[in-house]
């Protein structure tokens, strides 16, 4: 039932999926997970249920700018689309979507597998960074995906397919 601060969410997103410079003045960047052909078919959305320094709402994470882009205030619909009470009580839920055309043009049907692998790496990063921040993270096996599609206003080329509940575990990793 605790809130998630903007600073904590910012750290979680940056170190899990953000774009990091490869050196001073190089102008080159790298993300902390592999992506087949550097196509990056996975998009990151956040539904903040209880925030501190950030209002409740649905956001798109802009990796290049390390910023959250407000989509809507429809968090209650997202909350009710979750099938588990602990997830409904989380401070936020991270939703990952797959944009098929980014990889299918180059890799055909293999692109879907590459997207699943990429999402797995992202999920693992969220778990690891979440643990370092003493957050509780839980990948969810299901939700009402049609609600997420509608609330995020996604077309048929982009599909929500993985979500992670974020909150406070009550256990600190640091003494």
């Amino acid at each position: 039932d605790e809130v998630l601060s903007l600073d904590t969410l910012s750290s979680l997103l940056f170190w899990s999926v953000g774009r990091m410079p490869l050196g001073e003045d190089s102008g080159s960047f790298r993300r902390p997970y592999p992506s087949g052909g550097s196509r990056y078919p996975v998009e990151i959305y956040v539904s903040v249920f209880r925030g501190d320094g950030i209002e409740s709402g649905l956001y798109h994470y802009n990796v290049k700018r390390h910023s959250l882009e407000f989509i809507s205030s429809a968090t209650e619909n997202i909350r009710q689309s979750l099938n588990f009470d602990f997830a409904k009580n989380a401070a936020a839920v991270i939703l990952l979507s797959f944009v098929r055309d980014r990889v299918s043009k180059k890799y055909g049907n293999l692109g879907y597998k590459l997207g699943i692998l990429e999402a797995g790496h992202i999920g693992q990063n969220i778990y690891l960074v979440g643990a370092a921040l003493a957050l509780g993270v839980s990948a969810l096996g299901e939700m009402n995906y049609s609600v997420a599609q509608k609330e995020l206003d996604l077309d048929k080329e982009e599909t929500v397919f993985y979500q992670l509940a974020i909150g406070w575990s009550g256990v600190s990793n640091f003494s």
Side-chain angles (χ1 to χ4, degrees), residues 17 43 80 105:
V17 294
E43 287 291 324
Q80 294 307 317
K105 289 178 183 176

Side-chain angles (χ1 to χ4, degrees), residues 7 18 26 28 53 69 84 115 152 159:
D7 286 344
S26 73
S28 297
E69 300 165 337
F84 305 104
L152 294 171
T159 306

Side-chain angles (χ1 to χ4, degrees), residues 10 42 45 50 53 59-60 80 104 110 116 151 157 165-166:
S10 175
V42 177
Y45 297 90
R50 284 184 316 283
Y59 298 86
H60 172 257
Q80 294 307 317
S104 66
L110 175 62
I116 290 172
E151 296 302 335
E157 297 300 319
I166 308 296

